[in-house]
Amino acid sequence: MPYAKEVESEIEILEDPTESLSTKGSLSNYIEYFQDRFRRIQRILKNRIDAGDSGTITQALRAPPNSKVKFICMLMEKRESPNGIFLYVEDLEANTKVFVPSQNLDLYRKGQRIVLDQVICISAVKGKSGLFIANDIVYPDLPLRKPNKATLPIYAALISDMHVGSKMFMRKAFKRFILWLNGKMGNRRLKEIASHVKYVIIAGDIVDGVGIYPKQIDELEIDDIYRQYDAAAKLIREIPEYIEVILIPGNHDACRRALPQPAIPREYAEPLYEARETYSLGNPCMFSLYGVKVLVMHGRSLDDVISTVPGMSFERPDEAMKFLLQCRHLAPIYGSRTLIASEPKDHLVVERIPDIFHAGHVHMMSYDTYRGTTIVNSGAWQEQTEYQREMGHTPNPGIAPIIDLQNLKILPIDFVSGI
Ligand code: ZN
Ligand code: FE
């Protein structure tokens, strides 16, 4: 009997936006939303030794010339000049301009990396003309710490972006993954690991959807959303019953587009709900497995981070995920490709510190550890699309990262060539 069948599952939902979402966003909500974002990240910054003594912009404006000031603010606009970067920032009551000189190369690079709507702490000297000259920019970031670990030898399989319904869905490879979970594939060691898998976590884009991008219809094998979920349900049903399946929506699923997304509505994904018991949660969400905190998001905002922040690439989505942890926000840039709903509470602030941070969307399996957190982008099960070809993006689909909850180490298994 598989080990994971004998042990009791231990899952606690810590955060799920599904029940608390409002339906429409008005302008007053927009203001409320940003104030809430500011306050939540301000709280995180205030807990840092180097930002705990920060004041407000108003206090800094009142300070005499040549004095040192420190304040928490949100970046509203950024202008680069040959001598440095001008940051236009504001807090809840005032706004001002900060100059980041290019002579201080480390600081200049930090200035280049910050993105609009990000909340940071700035240390500066007040110049004679009243202009603030930055000498440090502090991110809320993660504290260095030891992560929580499970006390049992239990594994979780992290997957995403199946895109069932697409002509490029890799049915064969995915079937191998299912066979492996069932103990019917792989060498002795891999079979042993499979028998310890208690969780399959799917970070969105379960189906390819319909009408998601222009001419998608040419790339669809199944052009009906219900039948797509039906096909996905047939696959998910084959995951052994003792394994818990946790899933969230992605931008291709039948769900509202704006973040945070509630769990995929039953009316569109009935077959999925009928197929087996699942934990169907919103995007993003957080839960703990044997005390290990897992933060899951689909990852639409990774597009914005990769295209905005210098040094980022689609080959290393884990780097962009690390950036989000440094910002303590899952979609800092507002009004770009990532739609954000103006909820009164900003569900995208990373308040609790995750032990595992799992996302998908970029179709590139990559992972890393950052300040005790294991960052995983779980790749995809869809072959390169026409769009990706045009963008020059070569994904590495069909590889499932398996995580050992006892030590948070990743074992990637390649199901494309057969195991
Ligand atoms: Zn996808
Ligand atoms: Fe996606």
Side-chain angles (χ1 to χ4, degrees):
M1 183 151 74
Y3 174 82
K5 193 173 181 175
E6 294 170 62
V7 295
E8 196 87 33
S9 148
E10 211 181 290
I11 168 164
E12 187 192 348
I13 313 294
L14 301 171
E15 271 157 65
D16 176 13
T18 304
E19 295 307 320
S20 57
L21 297 186
S22 55
T23 39
K24 40 186 172 265
S26 67
L27 187 63
S28 70
N29 279 358
Y30 166 90
I31 293 164
E32 220 180 317
Y33 169 75
F34 271 102
Q35 288 178 342
D36 189 68
R37 175 190 290 202
F38 185 86
R39 287 199 185 97
R40 281 174 198 279
I41 301 178
Q42 181 183 45
R43 220 175 292 149
I44 296 168
L45 276 161
K46 283 277 191 185
N47 275 322
R48 291 182 60 98
I49 301 169
D50 53 1
D53 58 345
S54 55
T56 63
I57 292 177
T58 306
Q59 286 166 337
L61 289 170
R62 284 190 196 129
N66 294 322
S67 54
K68 283 186 174 176
V69 296
K70 198 184 268 187
F71 50 83
I72 293 169
C73 56
M74 190 183 275
L75 181 63
M76 307 314 289
E77 207 188 316
K78 192 162 125 178
R79 274 197 211 145
E80 301 206 23
S81 81
N83 302 328
I85 310 167
F86 286 98
L87 306 176
Y88 298 80
V89 299
E90 67 180 47
D91 62 11
L92 296 176
E93 38 190 35
N95 59 67
T96 192
K97 196 159 79 173
V98 179
F99 184 67
V100 183
S102 57
Q103 296 109 294
N104 186 342
L105 205 61
D106 279 351
L107 185 63
Y108 182 69
R109 294 233 168 88
K110 265 193 197 175
Q112 282 184 310
R113 281 168 70 94
I114 48 174
V115 296
L116 297 187
D117 311 313
Q118 194 182 331
V119 180
I120 44 177
C121 177
I122 293 179
S123 297
V125 171
K126 195 173 185 184
K128 282 197 185 68
S129 60
L131 178 69
F132 295 110
I133 315 290
N135 41 36
D136 202 9
I137 298 170
V138 175
Y139 282 53
D141 215 330
L142 293 183
L144 193 60
R145 74 209 196 282
K146 283 204 165 68
N148 299 298
K149 290 171 184 172
T151 49
L152 297 172
I154 283 293
Y155 286 72
L158 310 179
I159 63 167
S160 64
D161 299 86
M162 295 151 67
H163 291 265
V164 175
S166 160
K167 281 178 186 162
M168 277 75 76
F169 168 56
M170 295 161 71
R171 179 171 299 276
K172 251 198 192 144
F174 196 78
K175 283 269 194 181
R176 281 197 199 107
F177 168 66
I178 300 276
L179 279 174
W180 172 72
L181 285 177
N182 280 281
K184 290 176 183 151
M185 190 141 214
N187 58 27
R188 254 180 71 193
R189 182 174 156 260
L190 287 178
K191 278 184 177 162
E192 175 69 17
I193 290 169
S195 73
H196 287 251
V197 173
K198 187 72 187 169
Y199 304 97
V200 171
I201 305 168
I202 312 174
D205 282 1
I206 292 153
V207 297
D208 204 46
V210 178
I212 305 291
Y213 57 91
K215 293 209 188 136
Q216 186 192 19
I217 198 85
D218 300 340
E219 301 196 321
L220 287 180
E221 187 181 75
I222 307 169
D223 61 6
D224 176 278
I225 188 77
Y226 301 96
R227 285 198 294 120
Q228 288 183 358
Y229 277 113
D230 203 36
K234 285 201 176 91
L235 294 164
I236 286 172
R237 191 182 296 141
E238 289 173 45
I239 297 173
E241 195 203 299
Y242 62 84
I243 295 180
E244 303 283 5
V245 175
I246 303 159
L247 56 93
I248 68 163
N251 54 312
H252 282 255
D253 285 293
C255 200
R256 88 167 187 189
R257 228 17 55 90
L259 296 180
Q261 292 179 295
I264 304 167
R266 216 189 159 101
E267 49 179 319
Y268 295 111
E270 187 72 32
L272 206 60
Y273 288 93
E274 290 292 309
R276 59 166 290 145
E277 248 181 69
T278 59
Y279 285 90
S280 179
L281 306 174
N283 168 35
C285 66
M286 190 185 237
F287 48 83
S288 85
L289 307 175
Y290 298 100
V292 178
K293 290 197 190 77
V294 189
L295 172 63
V296 188
M297 70 159 185
H298 177 58
R300 185 80 226 257
S301 60
L302 297 174
D303 289 343
D304 293 329
V305 171
I306 291 167
S307 59
T308 311
V309 180
M312 296 285 172
S313 80
F314 283 102
E315 272 70 58
R316 291 291 304 275
D318 57 298
E319 287 285 330
M321 291 169 73
K322 187 205 288 184
F323 179 80
L324 296 179
L325 291 179
Q326 290 168 335
C327 294
R328 297 292 288 267
H329 199 281
L330 298 178
I333 310 164
Y334 188 89
S336 198
R337 268 174 285 184
T338 312
L339 295 175
I340 299 171
S342 294
E343 298 291 333
K345 176 187 166 183
D346 190 351
H347 296 267
L348 305 169
V349 176
V350 183
E351 291 193 296
R352 294 183 216 236
I353 296 161
D355 301 307
I356 299 170
F357 178 25
H358 172 204
H361 184 66
V362 182
H363 296 207
M364 200 69 193
M365 201 284 299
S366 72
Y367 55 91
D368 200 2
T369 310
Y370 179 66
R371 306 204 128 216
T373 300
T374 300
I375 296 174
V376 190
N377 196 293
S378 51
W381 299 86
Q382 183 188 37
E383 242 141 344
Q384 190 183 43
T385 62
E386 199 47 54
Y387 178 71
Q388 288 166 339
R389 211 187 317 271
E390 278 166 26
M391 303 302 284
H393 175 42
T394 310
N396 64 355
I399 308 170
I402 313 300
I403 188 160
D404 181 343
L405 296 178
Q406 242 181 340
N407 58 21
L408 306 190
K409 290 236 160 36
I410 299 283
L411 172 74
I413 304 180
D414 187 342
F415 290 94
V416 179
S417 40
I419 56 170

